[in-house]
Amino acid sequence: VLISAVNKDSSAEAAGLRAGDVIVEIAGKPVKTLRDYCGAMRELKAGETPEVAVLRTGQSGQRQTFRPRVTAPFELVKPLK
C-alpha cells in the first residue's frame, strides 16, 4: 500500500514515514492490498507502536522498519467491497 501523503506533526512523520513509501507489513502481518492494510490497522489500539515495514522509493527497494504510535482507533469512511 503506497503512502501518498504524511500529515505534518503526525506520529507517522515523527516515526520517519514518508510519502512514496510502500507499506509491506504491519505488526508482523503482510500487507499486499488495501484490505490487508485495513485488517491490520483495525487490530491496533491507541498508544501501541507497531512495527511497520516499508519499501522506500530511491533506496533500491530496501526494506526499512518504523514504529509510529497509533493515536486513534482505525475507522473507514466507506467500507471496502
Side-chain angles (χ1 to χ4, degrees):
V1 173
L2 175 70
I3 298 175
S4 61
V6 176
N7 291 334
K8 186 169 174 48
D9 300 323
S10 67
S11 63
E13 181 187 57
L17 293 168
R18 300 180 193 164
D21 287 347
V22 177
I23 299 171
V24 295
E25 189 175 287
I26 298 173
K29 295 178 176 53
V31 174
K32 295 181 181 176
T33 65
L34 185 57
R35 187 175 301 277
D36 294 341
Y37 169 82
C38 292
M41 291 300 293
R42 279 192 192 105
E43 293 181 19
L44 302 175
K45 294 176 179 46
E48 291 184 318
T49 54
E51 187 170 277
V52 177
V54 303
L55 298 179
R56 178 149 289 166
T57 304
Q59 304 267 331
S60 302
Q62 185 178 12
R63 183 179 166 126
Q64 298 184 3
T65 57
F66 300 88
R67 288 194 166 273
R69 181 171 303 284
V70 178
T71 56
F74 180 74
E75 295 178 4
L76 281 176
V77 176
K78 283 182 162 179
L80 291 174
K81 293 184 178 184

